Amino acid sequence: MSSLLEVSGVSVSFDGFRAINNLSFAIGPAELRAVIGPNGAGKTTFMDIVTGKTRPHEGRVLWGDPPVSLLKMTEAQIARAGVGRKFQRPTVFEDQTVDENLTMALKAPRNPFAVLRWRRAQADADRVAALAVEVGLGDQLPRKAGELSHGQKQWLEIGMLLAQEPRLLLVDEPAAGMTLAEREHTTRLLVDLAKTRAVVVVEHDMEFVRRLNCKVTVLHEGSVLAEGSLDHVTKNPAVIDVYLGRG
Amino acid sequence: MTRAFLMRNPSVLWFLLALSLFTLAVTLLSEAGMGVLSTSFVKTLGKTLCLCLVALAMDLIWGYAGILSLGHMAFFALGGYLIGMWLMYARTEEIVVAALSSGPLPATPDEIRQGIATQIFGVVGASDMPAIWAQAHSLPAQLALVLIVPGALAGIFGWLAFRSRVTGVYLSILTQAMTLALALYLFQNDSGLRGNNGLSGLQNIPGLDGVPQETVSLWFFWASALALGLAYVVLSHVVSGKFGSVIRAIRDDEARVRFLGYSVEGYKLFVFTLTAMIAAVAGALYYPQAGIINPAELAPIASIYLAVWVAIGGRGRLYGAVIGAAFVSLLSSWFTGGRAPSVNLGFYTVNWVDWWLVLLGLSFVLVTLYAPKGLSGLIDAAQGLRVPDRKGAALGPDDGALMEQEGRE
Amino acid sequence: MPRVFAALVAALILLTPLAALAQDAARILGDNRALVERASRTTIGPVIDALAASGDPVVAEVLAAWADKGLGVRKADGAFFLIAPTAAGWDLRGLDGRAAGPTAKADITDLKPNAGVRALIQSALVRFQLTDPDSARRIAALDAIARDGAPEHLAPLRGAIADEPDPVIAARKARLERLLTLRFDPDTATRAAAIAAFGGDTGLDLRAALNPLVATRRVALPKGADVAGNLARDLRPGRDLTEVEAYDLLVSAGLAPARLDAAGLKAALAAHIVDGAVGGVPLAALSDPRERERAYTALETAGTVPTAATDAEVTAAVAAHRFVELYAEPDPAVTSAAAAALDRIALTVGAMQAADLALDALSLASIYFLAAIGLAITFGVMGVINMAHGEFIMMGAYTGYVVQLFVPDYTLSILIALPLAFAVTFGAGVAMERLVIRHLYKRPLETLLATFGISIALQQLAKTIFGTQARPLTAPAWLDGAWVLNDVVSISYIRIAIFVLALIFLAFFLWLMNRTKLGLQVRAVTQNPAMAGSMGINPDRINMLTFGLGSGIAGIAGVAIGLFAQVTSEIGQAYIVQSFMTVVVGGVGNIWGTLAGAVMIGGLQKGIEFLNPSNTLAAQTYMILFIILFIQFRPRGIIALRGRAAGD
């Protein structure tokens, strides 16, 4: 299976502290993957590197087929190439309506001139409405995002991600702050999504990871400690030592 | 212009209505009409409309895109300089040709050019036409330059600043430095723009010798009103669509916009350049009414006043910028013009010429602290709009993000 | 009786040489009375020489009086007196200085030597002045010669060196002798040797003496002709001089006809208008320069105007001639020695100018540092942008001015003003923090605008209170003057004091931030206020104190800046942008960065001014452009906090 994203030998350090140390990672075009690890294992930095926010000092990050390097692209170019990211805390544009938030995220030409000429076609309106329904905000379209509840903002952000139609989704702790029912909804959605695209879930919550029922990558001190099913990695003594052993 | 657009933006209709009524009233009351308003006051009103126009540009860049530029009055003045070059050249040409025609031989083009150069630059001890005046004889070329030069300057500066991701106050300071550099440059005698003498006599429009000033002032008033109305409609259209959505998003959280795939730098550059050009057009309309332009007009403080107008009017809404600019600049000319009555406190007489700036400065602090929506807050209050309760948090993480009180329901 | 008379005369004639030996100035004057009364430059020389050689102690005074129109002859007996005009006539003194009483105006012929005679007298006097027992008068004489040397000074100067008791004056005499030698000595080798003897000397007087030796003039001569004179160099038209200059040389040397310029052409044409046409070309067509040429050619052919050189002829004429620079000084040995000496001097002076420039830059840097260090605290450490910082500097300067109104002693008043300015601006800073800034933390753009509002209010207040004209803030006398290393390198004491003050502030800042509890708390609060709060630090109080401190330092800087700048309500405006630039360029949050920023901006500004000395405005323009470009490459400044600490 050719991989969609291939990270190899990547290192990055901040003021001498090696946040990522010779990390290698690969994911296929339609795969669900959970990344776990203790605080400071480099999970967020890993996502920063893939999305172009942080530049690694060495190593390569290849994307798609034929593979192109993501290292020379800006965040916006990477996003347009098909990498979507959901932040740990919901980040939506609170001064704007749900409708505007979703419209902005819709897959469409992104350069200023095209956006200036852009007119909402019926298809766009339908797509926005459908997305809103999909994430449970069907009746909230004219409301300002700032007035939504925490959970609703999470859903709106996921809706925006879907509107972007990414080929790879990076999701940072999606279950944080969610009720049980919302978690189940989220699990179903992520598993569904992974049928058509690659999804990487960074998560702390073991119970949530177990529900995802997918391959797990354990990070520790900036490198991959173990990889495999959750049951497989939780039996790994090294993992128990650094991660579970502490709990 | 679709009906849906006007439905969504009723303020555009109200604005256009108010502007046309105002224009009509001024026209009727002017010296060309009933003669209630003096020509100089019509000019003041025309200039105020230009200031409203540049305030619109400032609102787009600061209120909508969150970039506190302290350089837009530099573009404004640059526009004035560029149109002033043609005005001064063409006017001097008329004089020089008239003077030379009394000579025994008809003048050669070179002699005319030389005569114009001596007339214009004698005051700074030069007699050669600087290279930047190469197109000054041509109105179309110089009008094009009104857009091109400030646009190019804003483009280059913006490209440099935005690509290195300078944001927030750093960008403000950088734009202020740019303005200062430009002003200092123009203050030199060998800048080719007459040093601190600036360009003068701009109120005399070449070819319009027979037309009295009261008519010319009215024409400029109409042109300013037209430009303001047009800009208002176009900018309302721009900010109400997806483009407006994107730039407001950039104001509140530009990192997030990047992850949506929008090139934040490209948008900032676009808005910066566009607003610079609008500012230049406003300046090109303003200075023929003012009659004189000199480098002091580019002082960094002028651009800060621009921000003050927009803030007092209420940023992030176009009519706020217009109200702020009109209100503060008219009030300012009323106070500093010595027309405001002094207040006798018994032990001290408050002379407004001396105290107006103190009042302005302090009221500005109060507006920033207690009424971030500015004067438009009054309009919202009249309409019964409330603000979302966000426990004091701003609407986004960026420096330019709206504050809680500024968000409309 | 006649015999007796004759005998007396004979005796007198015999006695004359004896009298000269007796060194009697009065007698010499008396003997030559006719010459003296109608003294002329060509005839009086021997008399003055005789006087000078007589050795009579009164000669110097007599000569000085003569030159100064203070010498007269009594008409009755031809006796010479030192005379001084009074209301009634003259007050007389004998040549030996004894008073001889007043006399009527008509009794005396007062001598009025003309300029030529006076010059002769003066140069004779020089010898006496140079050997005068009073060292002050010897120095005065040397000063006079240094100012206005002449060939005739050379001999008396040489004669006065050997007996000079004071080694300092002797050295001056020797130096002056060499300077005069290289200018006036008839012998070439001696002059060249005198030039060489100066070695590495870079004195202004030496340069002034050498420069005329290498003065040149431009000469045009036909190709192949011999160069008459001391050739400095060949000039190539187009490279060393323009074609116009070359042709002008030819015209002035009479080697070519004058070129016809536009004005001349116009005048010639205007003078020959016949029936609305010139040379057959109708007037209306003459707005075209080519038609004008055509009309002139027609007039030339008709012979009504002189032939004028066309452009092609000008080029040909220039090509046919050689252009050289000739030294005014005819002797090549002297000119080459002088040129070599000047080259050597230029090199040394260049190095000194670099040193002087470095001192200037350092001094400007310390001013910027001083203006910026308060900002380094409020903006750099706290992240609060205070546009009224410049007005705090202004308040400090005005505090100094007000103190001087009450305390007339400048040293004491400065000593009072420094802490008082700190107190005033500290108070203002604390008030501002409490009333305004506290409500706007995390809102930097609003802070910028609100503090700007305060800035215009304060500025206007100052204008209302103190007026618009500049107020003096006078430095104590011991800060007047400059530390002069030599002709080129010097620095004023005020600037040294400011440099020292900047160093003190740097040390104070480092001590405060790194060695005190307050510094620790400040760093804690700026990094994580919530955490600091939970550890028992009151962030409100710390913020207030820190802001007050930054403002207070601005006040002290204001006093220092006021000492050399004009104290006006706009004094702060002049420094605010540069101050922010200093902090931003240096790197926010790091005092060493601020220092580096100040040094860079100061150095840059002085460097650009050096390249374009006439234009301070342009220097500032280019400096700001440079800074804008610099920020491209180091957006976080010279000394950047990296990684996560910088807070993306």
Side-chain angles (χ1 to χ4, degrees):
Chain A
M1 185 177 77
S2 75
S3 51
L4 177 70
L5 174 76
E6 188 186 328
V7 175
S8 50
V10 166
S11 297
V12 67
S13 55
F14 301 112
D15 277 340
F17 164 68
R18 282 183 99 82
I20 295 286
N21 190 5
N22 196 20
L23 175 79
S24 296
F25 178 91
I27 188 167
E31 187 186 344
L32 181 61
R33 176 76 64 89
V35 175
I36 62 174
N39 276 337
K43 301 183 302 265
T44 303
T45 309
F46 162 68
M47 288 171 76
D48 285 349
I49 288 173
V50 174
T51 51
K53 192 178 173 195
T54 301
R55 304 264 166 229
H57 300 136
E58 52 190 50
R60 50 198 186 122
V61 180
L62 296 177
W63 167 259
D65 192 27
V68 289
S69 172
L70 291 184
L71 295 182
K72 292 201 169 57
M73 293 159 76
T74 64
E75 290 104 310
Q77 284 168 330
I78 291 172
R80 288 203 293 273
V83 178
R85 176 170 184 180
K86 192 202 157 303
F87 290 84
Q88 188 171 340
R89 283 167 39 147
T91 48
V92 295
F93 301 106
E94 312 213 345
D95 187 39
Q96 307 198 29
T97 61
V98 172
D99 188 359
E100 284 171 318
N101 269 292
L102 287 172
T103 306
M104 223 188 308
L106 271 190
K107 193 175 171 73
R110 296 289 207 231
N111 77 67
F113 297 96
V115 170
L116 208 50
R117 283 196 308 271
W118 186 85
R119 293 285 170 275
R120 178 192 295 258
Q122 192 54 47
D124 300 316
D126 295 346
R127 176 90 179 110
V128 167
L131 279 167
V133 170
E134 187 172 354
V135 296
L137 295 171
D139 50 351
Q140 311 281 352
L141 275 178
R143 285 190 70 190
K144 281 219 171 174
E147 300 162 8
L148 301 177
S149 74
H150 181 82
Q152 283 174 315
K153 285 179 191 165
Q154 294 274 34
W155 285 111
L156 174 56
E157 198 182 3
I158 290 172
M160 290 164 72
L161 269 183
L162 296 180
Q164 273 179 270
E165 299 174 22
R167 293 165 67 196
L168 167 67
L169 256 175
L170 300 171
V171 189
D172 204 349
E173 304 202 17
M178 281 193 173
T179 64
L180 199 61
E182 283 172 336
R183 279 172 185 232
E184 277 173 15
H185 188 174
T186 311
T187 316
R188 271 201 309 281
L189 189 83
L190 289 175
V191 172
D192 262 5
L193 285 173
K195 285 173 185 157
T196 52
R197 70 202 75 207
V199 178
V200 175
V201 181
V202 169
E203 189 51 80
H204 253 340
D205 185 335
M206 277 304 165
E207 204 43 50
F208 187 80
V209 173
R210 189 174 297 286
R211 268 183 229 206
L212 288 177
N213 191 23
C214 65
K215 191 169 163 185
V216 174
T217 301
V218 185
L219 290 190
H220 176 59
E221 290 179 352
S223 355
V224 175
L225 188 66
E227 209 164 52
S229 72
L230 186 64
D231 288 335
H232 173 76
V233 298
T234 47
K235 286 184 191 115
N236 186 323
V239 174
I240 294 169
D241 192 34
V242 304
Y243 191 92
L244 306 166
R246 287 188 201 171
Chain B
M1 209 59 43
T2 59
R3 174 169 297 172
F5 164 66
L6 291 177
M7 294 283 284
R8 272 184 289 122
N9 299 279
S11 75
V12 173
L13 275 181
W14 285 112
F15 181 82
L16 290 180
L17 187 66
L19 186 63
S20 354
L21 285 178
F22 177 66
T23 311
L24 195 65
V26 170
T27 308
L28 290 179
L29 294 174
S30 74
E31 286 188 10
M34 291 155 67
V36 179
L37 299 179
S38 70
T39 299
S40 76
F41 191 65
V42 171
K43 282 188 178 180
T44 303
L45 292 177
K47 286 191 287 181
T48 305
L49 292 181
C50 298
L51 296 179
C52 294
L53 181 55
V54 70
L56 275 186
M58 184 68 188
D59 198 22
L60 188 64
I61 186 83
W62 180 35
Y64 285 88
I67 301 167
L68 177 54
S69 161
L70 298 180
H72 268 61
M73 279 316 252
F75 300 124
F76 181 83
L78 216 49
Y81 261 108
L82 286 162
I83 199 66
M85 283 160 78
W86 174 75
L87 287 169
M88 202 158 174
Y89 186 98
R91 175 85 187 147
T92 313
E93 188 176 27
E94 286 177 358
I95 297 169
V96 167
V97 167
L100 287 178
S101 66
S102 62
L105 298 182
T108 62
D110 250 13
E111 282 170 354
I112 294 174
R113 265 187 89 75
Q114 197 54 49
I116 296 170
T118 314
Q119 275 284 318
I120 296 181
F121 297 103
V123 67
V124 289
S127 58
D128 291 324
M129 195 63 84
I132 51 171
W133 287 67
Q135 298 302 320
H137 57 277
S138 153
L139 177 59
Q142 210 62 30
L143 280 177
L145 287 178
V146 165
L147 290 178
I148 293 168
V149 172
L153 181 64
I156 293 168
F157 177 85
W159 184 75
L160 286 172
F162 298 136
R163 78 174 254 292
S164 57
R165 302 229 171 139
V166 179
T167 56
V169 286
Y170 295 91
L171 189 65
S172 303
I173 295 174
L174 214 54
T175 52
Q176 193 183 21
M178 175 201 73
T179 312
L180 184 66
L182 198 60
L184 290 175
Y185 179 77
L186 288 177
F187 264 119
Q188 299 174 66
N189 278 344
D190 51 4
S191 66
L193 289 167
R194 308 210 325 157
N196 61 355
N197 304 290
L199 308 181
S200 54
L202 309 184
Q203 73 278 19
N204 304 312
I205 312 302
L208 293 184
D209 277 336
V211 186
Q213 275 292 317
E214 64 243 35
T215 315
V216 174
S217 66
L218 212 51
W219 289 354
F220 269 99
F221 179 80
W222 291 339
S224 308
L226 185 70
L228 179 62
L230 264 178
Y232 194 90
V233 172
V234 170
L235 291 185
S236 300
H237 197 61
V238 166
V239 298
S240 69
K242 190 169 170 182
F243 189 88
S245 203
V246 173
I247 59 173
R248 279 183 290 145
I250 289 173
R251 170 190 71 199
D252 291 340
D253 190 349
E254 65 173 62
R256 182 72 182 90
V257 177
R258 259 185 214 115
F259 289 122
L260 280 180
Y262 291 96
S263 156
V264 169
E265 287 66 41
Y267 278 81
K268 285 182 173 176
L269 186 58
F270 183 91
V271 175
F272 193 70
T273 311
L274 176 72
T275 52
M277 286 157 111
I278 296 175
V281 170
L285 282 168
Y286 180 93
Y287 285 102
Q289 305 183 65
I292 183 164
I293 181 170
N294 60 48
E297 306 280 319
L298 278 89
I301 199 160
S303 296
I304 301 187
Y305 278 127
L306 182 59
V308 170
W309 298 337
V310 174
I312 286 185
R315 70 177 181 133
R317 53 194 81 200
L318 295 176
Y319 59 87
V322 173
I323 293 172
F327 179 74
V328 181
S329 68
L330 284 178
L331 204 63
S332 178
S333 61
W334 187 63
F335 273 121
T336 55
R339 268 170 289 186
S342 297
V343 178
N344 196 336
L345 299 177
F347 58 93
Y348 182 80
T349 306
V350 177
N351 188 351
W352 285 115
V353 176
D354 291 337
W355 287 91
W356 155 244
L357 276 180
V358 179
L359 180 73
L360 178 68
L362 293 183
S363 51
F364 186 50
V365 174
L366 294 179
V367 165
T368 315
L369 282 181
Y370 300 110
K373 286 164 84 170
L375 294 173
S376 338
L378 300 175
I379 292 177
D380 287 359
Q383 292 182 335
L385 293 181
R386 289 175 294 110
V387 293
D389 179 10
R390 298 183 35 76
K391 308 278 182 285
L395 290 172
D398 286 356
D399 287 352
L402 285 191
M403 281 196 273
E404 178 186 358
Q405 298 99 309
E406 290 177 277
R408 275 167 296 177
E409 190 163 306
Chain C
M1 195 62 188
R3 288 178 64 104
V4 176
F5 183 73
L8 268 173
V9 171
L12 240 164
I13 290 167
L14 281 173
L15 277 174
T16 305
L18 284 177
L21 286 174
Q23 308 164 342
D24 189 350
R27 185 160 308 198
I28 296 172
L29 282 172
D31 290 349
N32 298 292
R33 178 179 164 193
L35 264 179
V36 170
E37 280 190 39
R38 275 176 301 281
S40 102
R41 189 186 155 83
T42 45
T43 56
I44 199 68
V47 178
I48 293 176
D49 285 346
L51 273 174
S54 68
D56 187 320
V58 303
V59 165
E61 202 185 345
V62 169
L63 282 176
W66 187 8
D68 208 26
K69 299 178 190 166
L71 193 64
V73 188
R74 188 153 63 203
K75 286 175 185 169
D77 59 358
F80 283 82
F81 291 95
L82 302 175
I83 59 172
T86 62
W90 299 105
D91 190 38
L92 301 185
R93 281 186 301 144
L95 294 187
D96 52 3
R98 272 179 298 195
T103 184
K105 186 118 191 160
D107 292 347
I108 295 290
T109 310
D110 54 325
L111 301 177
K112 291 174 182 156
N114 65 25
V117 175
R118 278 209 305 279
L120 288 181
I121 301 172
Q122 290 293 2
S123 71
L125 266 175
V126 161
R127 180 176 321 170
F128 295 101
Q129 290 163 349
L130 285 174
T131 52
D132 197 284
D134 181 356
S135 65
R137 294 186 66 173
R138 295 205 297 282
I139 291 173
L142 286 173
D143 285 343
I145 298 175
R147 228 180 1 257
D148 195 12
E152 55 267 29
H153 292 146
L154 202 45
L157 187 57
R158 282 179 179 155
I161 294 175
D163 297 334
E164 176 59 52
D166 184 331
V168 178
I169 299 178
R172 261 204 80 183
K173 282 181 174 171
R175 181 184 165 83
L176 198 53
E177 186 268 330
R178 283 205 301 274
L179 283 174
L180 290 183
T181 304
L182 73 88
R183 286 170 69 189
F184 302 120
D185 196 279
D187 178 45
T188 308
T190 317
R191 296 173 68 188
I195 293 170
F198 275 102
D201 199 320
T202 61
L204 278 174
D205 50 353
L206 176 58
R207 277 178 269 163
L210 287 174
N211 275 322
L213 296 186
V214 294
T216 57
R217 66 199 157 91
R218 288 173 167 184
V219 172
L221 62 165
K223 281 241 163 93
D226 281 337
V227 178
N230 183 1
L231 178 69
R233 60 171 182 150
D234 264 297
L235 297 170
R236 242 180 275 168
R239 204 187 61 183
D240 303 319
L241 77 174
T242 64
E243 193 183 74
V244 176
E245 286 171 336
Y247 194 76
D248 286 348
L249 273 179
L250 290 179
V251 173
S252 64
L255 292 169
R259 189 209 285 262
L260 187 66
D261 59 5
L265 174 69
K266 191 175 171 186
L269 294 181
H272 294 91
I273 300 175
V274 182
D275 296 337
V278 181
V281 182
L283 265 188
L286 287 178
S287 63
D288 183 343
R290 271 170 309 179
E291 292 297 317
R292 285 191 176 187
E293 290 279 350
R294 213 159 64 82
Y296 192 84
T297 315
L299 292 178
E300 267 180 357
T301 331
T304 40
V305 291
T307 321
T310 63
D311 286 350
E313 286 163 1
V314 166
T315 310
V318 167
H321 288 83
R322 181 179 173 194
F323 299 89
V324 293
E325 262 179 5
L326 296 183
Y327 286 117
E329 166 65 44
D331 196 309
V334 173
T335 50
S336 60
L342 279 173
D343 281 351
R344 206 168 53 232
I345 290 173
L347 198 67
T348 322
V349 169
M352 285 186 195
Q353 274 172 342
D356 190 52
L357 195 69
L359 272 184
D360 271 3
L362 202 62
S363 132
L364 191 64
S366 43
I367 292 166
Y368 284 152
F369 182 73
L370 211 52
I373 187 163
L375 269 189
I377 296 175
T378 54
F379 180 51
V381 176
M382 298 175 72
V384 172
I385 187 152
N386 178 13
M387 295 303 276
H389 185 82
E391 277 56 51
F392 287 158
I393 291 178
M394 172 197 81
M395 281 164 84
Y398 274 121
T399 306
Y401 163 71
V402 172
V403 168
Q404 287 199 338
L405 288 184
F406 293 101
V407 183
D409 182 295
Y410 290 142
T411 307
L412 185 63
S413 65
I414 292 297
L415 289 180
I416 296 173
L418 286 173
L420 193 63
F422 181 87
V424 167
T425 46
F426 181 90
V430 166
M432 188 165 135
E433 202 274 344
R434 283 290 87 183
L435 293 174
V436 179
I437 289 171
R438 182 163 64 104
H439 306 287
L440 295 173
Y441 281 123
K442 305 272 175 208
R443 302 292 305 168
L445 295 182
E446 275 76 8
T447 314
L448 189 158
L449 289 173
T451 51
F452 169 73
I454 295 170
S455 152
I456 51 175
L458 285 177
Q459 230 182 89
Q460 183 57 47
L461 267 178
K463 225 174 260 175
T464 310
I465 297 171
F466 295 102
T468 45
Q469 72 271 47
R471 297 290 174 177
L473 179 53
T474 315
W478 48 270
L479 278 180
D480 285 346
W483 182 39
V484 181
L485 282 172
N486 58 34
D487 294 341
V488 184
V489 189
S490 70
I491 181 166
S492 72
Y493 287 128
I494 287 189
R495 290 180 172 247
I496 296 177
I498 283 170
F499 179 70
V500 171
L501 198 60
L503 284 184
I504 292 173
F505 272 138
L506 177 64
F508 172 74
F509 184 95
L510 289 172
W511 170 78
L512 185 83
M513 294 309 275
N514 298 328
R515 291 271 185 278
T516 64
K517 195 174 165 199
L518 178 67
L520 186 68
Q521 292 181 343
V522 167
R523 282 181 290 147
V525 168
T526 50
Q527 276 165 26
N528 191 336
M531 180 69 91
S534 70
M535 314 241 332
I537 301 171
N538 179 353
D540 270 6
R541 190 178 143 269
I542 295 298
N543 279 332
M544 186 179 79
L545 284 180
T546 317
F547 195 83
L549 191 70
S551 310
I553 290 179
I556 294 184
V559 177
I561 289 172
L563 286 179
F564 66 89
Q566 303 262 323
V567 182
T568 67
S569 59
E570 271 141 29
I571 187 172
Q573 285 299 306
Y575 289 93
I576 186 74
V577 174
Q578 275 89 344
S579 302
F580 273 115
M581 286 292 158
T582 303
V583 177
V584 170
V585 163
V588 171
N590 187 316
I591 191 68
W592 296 109
T594 307
L595 186 65
V599 169
M600 193 180 98
I601 291 183
L604 208 61
Q605 184 163 343
K606 281 293 164 194
I608 299 171
E609 271 176 31
F610 173 73
L611 296 177
N612 186 2
S614 63
N615 214 328
T616 329
L617 292 175
Q620 294 201 20
T621 312
Y622 295 132
M623 186 190 76
I624 294 171
L625 290 183
F626 177 86
I627 290 170
I628 291 172
L629 284 178
F630 178 83
I631 302 247
Q632 296 304 304
F633 300 104
R634 291 204 74 112
R636 293 190 192 285
I638 300 172
I639 297 181
L641 299 173
R642 277 182 308 275
R644 287 185 157 176
D648 268 19

